[in-house]
Amino acid sequence: MTGTLLTQQQVVYVQSEPLHQFVTQVFQACGVSESYSRTAADVLCYADEKGFDTHGITNLERIYVARLQDGRIDPQAEFAIATETLGTATLDAKQGLGLVAGARAMEIAIEKARATGIGCVVVRNSSHFGSAGYYTAQALDAGMIGIAMTNLGSQTIARPLNGTVNMLGTNPIAVSAPSQHLPPFVLDMSTTVVATGKIRAAKLRGESIPEGWLIDEAGNPVTDPQAYEDGSGHLQMLGGSLATGGAKGYGLALVVDILCGILSGSHVGPSPQLLEKDGASHAKEDQNIGHFFLAIQVEAFRPLLEFGTHMDSMLQTLLDCPTHSPEKKVVYPGYLEAQRSSSPIGIPLDVQVYEQLLDLADKLKIAAPERETIIPNV
């Protein structure tokens, strides 16, 4: 197989269109309709294009193909509106692809924002929805401010402060705001100190992780990513310990569970079942995930041009901020991602991820995307 010729210190570049076509065909091979498959591919490819590779193609087989094939995600699910007002809606994803349910929910939120100024949609009975930033980018394309969040349903991977039981997910939050000429503001963050995908990526490359990501039972820093997999290393909330601001990440994670889980009627991390004798088994599966989407029509508050110009002024001021070293530069969330997505070389994929795509292509009997260039990852 071609992938066996690549070394661990290399990156493979693949052009966007062939990669998107391949991912679309993978979803179709798993029983997903063509239109839904294209949407799902849009979401996954967006993550790699923007540099959020922990939420992109690396999860194609591990999360989506695996769940579609064993029935945890229904490839034929048809979403339904459960409740609706002029400015709000609850979408029942029927255990379908969160990648598609999320995109549809933000579309509805945008439609409602055009009519009322603000549109809010929550989703229940969903599954992993990839990068939250994709959905706020939909709002950007409509000239709106966008907010997107997701919990992990019943899956728990982080402990509340001072706790000894995992009760929370990474519970990411994304917020985007349009600008006039500069790259838009795009914040896409987990409420844990790091996304778990970064820990898996370090393990895949045989690298250690920075102190502060994981701690052991005594609260000491752990730098071996394997510790997360075997349960001896525990993921910290954003901010780390109570003394360094961990209460902020903890609080934000609960906000996500409230808006995504309780408001929609989905599962939440802190479930009473976790305190039962076999509570750990309840937390292993990401069942009944909930999402939250908000679209804000800027022109309901002030002219879009004025808003964009004001945004440019604020963002440019940040870019012009003096630094201690000429090698360093002040940027803002979304700036570097915009530069990366415009690269003519193609989308960079870790060599191990590319090899996984080759294996998946063999299994599903479809053509793998060809690599453009192999460049040392230095």
Side-chain angles (χ1 to χ4, degrees):
M1 182 173 291
T2 309
T4 59
L5 300 176
L6 307 176
T7 69
Q8 195 174 34
Q9 299 301 315
Q10 292 175 317
V11 170
V12 176
Y13 286 82
V14 178
Q15 288 300 319
S16 177
E17 183 54 36
L19 184 61
H20 187 281
Q21 182 178 357
F22 170 75
V23 178
T24 299
Q25 290 175 336
V26 168
F27 280 111
Q28 286 184 278
C30 294
V32 181
S33 70
E34 182 178 358
S35 61
Y36 279 12
S37 293
R38 290 188 181 281
T39 298
D42 282 344
V43 181
L44 284 190
C45 290
Y46 165 91
D48 288 284
E49 288 168 357
K50 299 297 184 181
F52 302 121
D53 49 8
T54 56
H55 286 68
I57 308 302
T58 186
N59 295 323
L60 179 58
E61 182 173 16
R62 185 180 68 86
I63 293 180
Y64 304 105
V65 171
R67 286 161 172 75
L68 285 164
Q69 290 183 336
D70 67 18
R72 284 176 288 173
I73 297 177
D74 181 358
Q76 301 297 322
E78 291 296 337
F79 316 134
I81 298 292
T83 67
E84 188 171 23
T85 69
L86 287 176
T88 69
T90 301
L91 185 69
D92 190 335
K94 306 286 188 178
Q95 293 302 325
L97 274 170
L99 302 167
V100 183
R104 179 58 189 140
M106 183 54 94
E107 286 176 359
I108 296 171
I110 291 168
E111 291 167 4
K112 290 182 176 296
R114 287 196 178 106
T116 67
I118 294 180
C120 182
V121 179
V122 295
V123 182
R124 65 186 180 217
N125 293 320
S126 191
S127 57
H128 195 282
F129 82 169
S131 175
Y134 175 87
Y135 309 103
T136 63
Q138 289 179 266
L140 281 179
D141 290 342
M144 298 184 185
I145 295 171
I147 300 176
M149 308 177 194
T150 186
N151 71 2
L152 269 62
S154 58
Q155 185 182 23
T156 59
I157 57 178
R159 299 174 171 184
L161 288 182
N162 300 324
T164 58
V165 176
N166 288 352
M167 291 188 172
L168 299 164
T170 52
N171 291 13
I173 300 172
V175 181
S176 296
S179 54
Q180 187 62 24
H181 299 295
L182 290 173
F185 174 90
V186 182
L187 174 69
D188 190 348
M189 52 168 271
S190 65
T191 54
T192 50
V193 71
V194 69
T196 56
K198 290 187 179 294
I199 300 174
R200 292 191 184 93
K203 178 186 173 185
L204 192 65
R205 300 188 191 104
E207 300 171 351
S208 62
I209 58 175
E211 290 189 5
W213 288 13
L214 301 177
I215 56 173
D216 62 18
E217 289 291 345
N220 300 311
V222 175
T223 59
D224 182 359
Q226 176 59 35
Y228 174 74
E229 299 293 338
D230 63 30
S232 62
H234 308 292
L235 184 64
Q236 295 204 85
M237 302 309 302
L238 184 65
S241 69
L242 183 61
T244 57
K248 298 175 184 178
Y250 174 39
L252 285 173
L254 291 176
V255 167
V256 174
D257 258 333
I258 291 168
L259 293 178
C260 295
I262 293 178
L263 187 61
S264 73
S266 298
H267 290 166
V268 295
S271 165
Q273 292 174 281
L274 296 174
L275 303 178
E276 297 174 359
K277 191 172 184 180
D278 61 345
S281 62
H282 170 75
K284 289 182 179 179
E285 290 297 335
D286 49 352
Q287 296 291 330
N288 194 3
I289 289 176
H291 316 311
F292 173 93
F293 303 94
L294 183 68
I296 302 173
Q297 182 186 170
V298 171
E299 291 190 331
F301 298 87
R302 66 184 300 196
L304 182 59
L305 179 59
E306 287 184 7
F307 179 90
T309 301
H310 202 166
M311 280 290 296
D312 275 1
S313 175
M314 180 186 75
L315 298 176
Q316 188 61 55
T317 301
L318 292 169
L319 296 174
D320 292 340
C321 181
T323 63
H324 292 292
S325 168
E327 290 79 26
K328 296 182 178 180
K329 178 180 175 63
V330 173
V331 295
Y332 57 84
Y335 183 82
L336 295 178
E337 291 82 357
Q339 290 185 323
R340 172 167 178 163
S341 63
S342 63
S343 172
I345 303 174
I347 300 174
L349 300 177
D350 190 282
V351 61
Q352 289 90 350
V353 172
Y354 183 70
E355 289 176 334
Q356 291 170 4
L357 296 187
L358 296 179
D359 290 337
L360 183 58
D362 282 348
K363 292 176 185 176
L364 298 178
K365 308 303 180 185
I366 58 179
E370 294 185 4
R371 62 178 185 265
E372 284 292 316
T373 314
I374 302 174
I375 300 177
N377 186 14
V378 296

